[in-house]
Amino acid sequence: MENRTDYCNCLFEQPWWLDLVAPKQWNEEIIKNNKDEVIARIAYVKGEKSIFMPKMTQCMGIWESSQIKSNYGERKRNYYKLFEEINKNKSVEICLNPSNEYVLPFRWMGYRMEPKFTYRINNLSDCNELYSRFNKRAKRNIRCAQKEVKIYTETDLERLWKTLDKTFQAQNRKNPMPKELIYKIVKYCDENDHGKYIEARDGAGNTHSCAYFVYDEKVCYYLIGASDSDFRNSGAQSLVLWEGIQFAAQKSCIFDFEGSMIEGIENFFRQFNSVCTPYYVIRKNGLIKDIELEAKMRIKKIIGYKI
């Protein structure tokens, strides 16, 4: 699997990641200048007649060379060219990287745009300074957890999966996570210095909380988080995140909490003095697909499903 350090905004656009989450389904469009230098690229995943986001993947945006960032005319022309093949599909859905702030060309191409939000810590250079800016509740949870649990970093996929099951059981939901894909991602990332497992476990061997982080030199993502509701008051989830942030400071420039649009989770992430960071989903669907999506959203609202 290729590990490309250039013309990718983040690891989700890397060939090795796409080979994991969408083998033989992904493609890329590249634009070069007259010096044969790549100045723009987009990777995407293609079904029979659709472009869609693969599982476990936050965003797949357009990478642009810094030399053209201030030239909106050239950027617009590049966007149109990059999307020539993509626009031929009946259904398109792409979550753009947060760095893709110039989104007007997508409107002109007929796309609907929906803002989504993640939370980020954009400067990991001083962990002591970061901790001092956490709110009182986060600090209290971390201190309490440090007295009750120990941190383990040897990857334990079975504990991770069992704790994920308990996380969704507490919500009266079946675990929707793709088990085989998670195992494949963790195995590859562990072997290639792209992943980190962190677990908080008490003296009796109970897993209070655990997480798996994926990273490159740019961003470390809180990809998977799981907690046992029987120990929700131990503060372990806050401690696991704090350990993850400190680890990220050794590897990356930014820590990304991976969402969420759910009010309670958003409140939790804000405790770490993270910054609300918007990014855009662009969509183009046929009439029937639009009706299906609208109906799905209304049904979720009626039954009280948190989105």
Side-chain angles (χ1 to χ4, degrees), residues 9-10 13 41-43 59-63 94-97 100:
N9 295 300
C10 64
E13 298 167 14
R41 171 192 181 257
I42 186 168
C59 54
M60 290 172 59
I62 296 175
W63 176 88
I94 301 174
C95 294
L96 301 174
N97 187 274
N100 293 161

Side-chain angles (χ1 to χ4, degrees), residues 152-243:
Y152 295 82
T153 58
E154 183 177 349
T155 301
D156 191 326
L157 276 166
E158 290 306 311
R159 281 184 179 269
L160 174 62
W161 188 254
K162 287 179 181 178
T163 312
L164 270 173
D165 274 343
K166 291 180 178 179
T167 300
F168 288 101
Q169 286 170 8
Q171 303 171 25
N172 294 315
R173 295 172 59 196
K174 184 179 179 181
N175 185 348
M177 304 288 274
K179 186 175 183 179
E180 288 186 8
L181 178 57
I182 288 174
Y183 277 45
K184 187 164 67 169
I185 289 171
V186 171
K187 183 177 185 298
Y188 180 87
C189 290
D190 273 359
E191 292 175 353
N192 292 275
D193 194 26
H194 284 298
K196 182 70 172 180
Y197 176 78
I198 297 178
E199 177 191 340
R201 192 188 309 168
D202 65 25
N206 299 304
T207 299
H208 289 218
S209 185
C210 56
Y212 196 76
F213 304 87
V214 294
Y215 59 86
D216 61 10
E217 71 279 2
K218 296 176 182 178
V219 186
C220 178
Y221 294 89
Y222 177 40
L223 186 71
I224 304 168
S227 296
D228 189 331
S229 61
D230 290 342
F231 306 105
R232 63 163 56 99
N233 294 322
S234 70
Q237 188 176 11
S238 295
L239 177 59
V240 166
L241 270 170
W242 172 225
E243 293 289 332

